[in-house]
Amino acid sequence: MRTRVAIIGAGPAGLMLAHLLHAQGIDVVVLERQTPDHVQGRIRAGVLERVTVDIMTRLGLDDRMRAEGLVEEGFCLADGERLIRIDIAELTGQTVMVYGQTEIQRDLVEAAQVRGLDVRWQIDDIALHALDSDTPWLTCREGEIDWHITADFIIGCDGFHGVSRRAVPASAAQIHERVYPFAWLGILADVPPCHHELIYANHSRGFALASLRSPTRSRYYIDVPTDTQLADWPEQRLWDELAMRLGPTVAARITQGPALEISLAPLRSFVFEPMRHGRLLLCGDAAHIVPPTGAKGLNLAASDVHYAAQALTSWYAHNDNDGIAHYAGKALARVWQAQRFSWSLTRLVHRFPEDGRFERAMQLAEFNHIAGSRAAQMAIAENYVGLPV
Ligand code: RFL
Ligand code: PHB
């Protein structure tokens, strides 16, 4: 088989890129290991920056997002009983959109069928070859069929556990990594949210986040040690812990209900450099992971895809190699800014096991600074809505 662009992974990065290229008449094949239902079922991101909203709009896939998504004009930081509201709309003139990754995924998959994109599911044993040549190729298995696919470019959108990053020789790569001493335990339930805006809380018992998906669906998280098992947390224990960490005023507005999903996600900061090796470009979680505190993971995948689509479009339209040559530099500059923000917000709202009185005093001083300084609020707000692409 021959294609122009072979994309590995049909998560949000792979499908957004496939749609953007298809819209420019560039033929693509998307190869995904899982079934559509499996990818669709993963409860992940909830907060979209403008870059993600803009891509869905450019693709003409924004109808449901505009109808069902919630436009958020602010969010709260809580330190014990004190709530500090960051008015992102007033500070930056921008908003963020609450619209679940499951909904984005559904919109992208349904449109791929309607628009005739070549997306293949349940593809096994992908291996990448000749990335340094002008005709990279890959091998894989679709049921009983062994494929040999030659392409102009291979794009690794296969997430943190994918194969494409591993095809870059170790001698050409650098890894920057920090693993945090906790995981987020999340619960999704069909109950009205306790607040119309997100609340990130630092409590002496640990971190809590009150988030939402719609006026009738809530998403809450607490942090737990990394060796925690789901069995340690029956639903009622989680609801009780949330109430304690969010404090009595917020807790009084929490509606409890049966869990649609409960899951654990370990926290990690990770950057793989470079994001291009020859004719392989990496996008999204395949190249970087941020702790979820800043709500940046999906949005970084979207900005990578934006740069990659620009680069590939100008390569095919004008035979221009500049975009490809500068892809990694452009994408990484934005990745490092998001890493910095996600790391600093994680530091502010979590109690690290190694922290002593001094570190706690620094957190308090930081909350006091944010509460009293428009400049400090502005710095948080401009990062939360997303830096320009
Ligand atoms: P994905 O979504 O992991 O998709 C990768 C796809 O590649 C497939 N794959 C393979 N296919 C073929 N062959 C192989 N060998 C393959 N190996 C893997 C996988 O099956 C999968 O379908 O990566 P992508 O597209 O880069 O998207 C990244 C986002 O999913 C991720 O960054 C966000 O979910 C992170 N995230 C959040 N991001 C935000 O922007 N805002 C948020 O509010 C937010 N909250 C979160 C989050 C992630 C969380 N977890 C569970 C990690 C909250 C949580 C709890
Ligand atoms: C979510 O609703 O899942 C969510 C919201 C904000 C975050 C992380 C996750 O920072």
Side-chain angles (χ1 to χ4, degrees):
M1 192 196 301
R2 170 96 180 103
T3 185
R4 284 181 152 181
V5 181
I7 298 175
I8 308 176
L15 288 180
M16 280 193 281
L17 182 61
H19 274 288
L20 286 169
L21 297 179
H22 182 80
Q24 298 297 319
I26 300 167
D27 65 309
V28 296
V29 175
V30 184
L31 305 165
E32 165 62 48
R33 190 177 51 185
Q34 304 285 356
T35 62
D37 285 350
H38 177 94
V39 181
Q40 168 80 53
R42 301 171 317 170
I43 311 296
R44 288 188 164 191
V47 179
L48 309 183
E49 292 174 10
R50 185 178 183 157
V51 61
T52 312
V53 171
D54 281 355
I55 289 180
M56 295 303 279
T57 307
R58 257 157 65 198
L59 292 172
L61 298 179
D62 56 327
D63 286 357
R64 211 162 63 88
M65 180 179 72
R66 306 260 175 218
E68 297 173 17
L70 303 174
V71 173
E72 297 284 310
E73 299 190 338
F75 69 95
C76 292
L77 293 170
D79 179 45
E81 269 298 279
R82 168 169 59 165
L83 274 189
I84 306 169
R85 180 166 185 268
I86 309 293
D87 189 335
I88 57 175
E90 193 270 322
L91 289 160
T92 68
Q94 291 185 51
T95 54
V96 292
M97 174 82 83
V98 162
Y99 189 65
Q101 183 166 330
T102 48
E103 307 312 306
I104 294 260
Q105 184 72 23
R106 185 176 135 197
D107 295 340
L108 289 166
V109 170
E110 286 180 2
Q113 271 163 3
V114 172
R115 296 177 185 185
L117 269 68
D118 190 351
V119 183
R120 297 171 185 230
W121 305 91
Q122 293 180 281
I123 300 295
D124 291 317
D125 299 340
I126 294 183
L128 297 79
H129 308 274
L131 299 173
D132 285 322
S133 77
D134 288 349
T135 48
W137 51 281
L138 56 81
T139 49
C140 61
R141 197 157 40 81
E142 184 176 22
E144 299 297 302
I145 307 169
D146 286 321
W147 285 109
H148 174 124
I149 304 176
T150 308
D152 300 328
F153 294 94
I154 298 178
I155 318 294
C157 298
D158 47 351
F160 185 63
H161 301 286
V163 288
S164 46
R165 183 177 72 243
R166 289 165 232 279
V168 178
S171 58
Q174 256 196 321
I175 288 173
H176 312 265
E177 185 168 29
R178 162 130 209 211
V179 177
Y180 297 85
F182 26 68
W184 279 20
L185 176 64
I187 180 167
L188 184 73
D190 269 338
V191 290
C194 62
H195 193 59
H196 65 288
E197 294 179 344
L198 279 75
I199 305 173
Y200 294 82
N202 177 328
H203 187 271
S204 57
R205 296 182 66 89
F207 165 79
L209 169 59
S211 182
L212 65 167
R213 290 289 179 275
S214 75
T216 57
R217 184 168 286 188
S218 303
R219 179 71 163 158
Y220 291 99
Y221 299 93
I222 58 168
D223 70 345
V224 291
T226 38
D227 58 0
T228 300
Q229 307 293 315
L230 281 179
D232 301 337
W233 286 91
E235 281 177 40
Q236 194 55 51
R237 180 176 177 209
L238 180 46
W239 286 115
D240 293 344
E241 188 66 28
L242 271 166
M244 283 188 276
R245 295 188 187 187
L246 287 166
T249 314
V250 176
R253 295 196 304 263
I254 295 178
T255 310
Q256 300 181 5
L260 298 171
E261 189 252 17
I262 296 190
S263 59
L264 276 165
L267 264 64
R268 182 191 301 272
S269 301
F270 177 91
V271 179
F272 183 88
E273 290 190 84
M275 285 176 63
R276 179 180 68 85
H277 177 76
R279 290 291 183 96
L280 169 70
L281 276 61
L282 299 174
C283 293
D285 280 15
H288 41 73
I289 295 288
V290 284
T293 329
K296 292 283 165 253
L298 173 60
N299 297 301
L300 276 185
S303 57
D304 292 351
V305 160
H306 169 79
Y307 297 130
Q310 254 181 359
L312 290 163
T313 304
S314 77
W315 199 86
Y316 284 110
H318 313 295
N319 222 356
D320 172 9
N321 189 46
D322 268 17
I324 300 290
H326 294 126
Y327 166 72
K330 270 192 187 177
L332 275 168
R334 198 166 187 279
V335 166
W336 278 116
Q337 287 304 311
Q339 288 288 359
R340 187 200 67 78
F341 178 65
S342 305
W343 166 80
S344 66
L345 203 55
T346 302
R347 200 81 202 65
L348 178 68
V349 294
H350 287 82
R351 302 279 175 115
F352 284 64
E354 67 269 26
D355 280 2
R357 287 156 75 112
F358 179 79
E359 286 76 17
R360 176 61 197 143
M362 288 297 98
Q363 285 188 337
L364 268 179
E366 179 82 24
F367 276 114
N368 289 337
H369 177 53
I370 295 166
S373 161
R374 183 179 163 84
Q377 293 179 14
M378 177 77 87
I380 292 175
E382 70 179 6
N383 281 281
Y384 197 79
V385 299
L387 297 175
V389 286

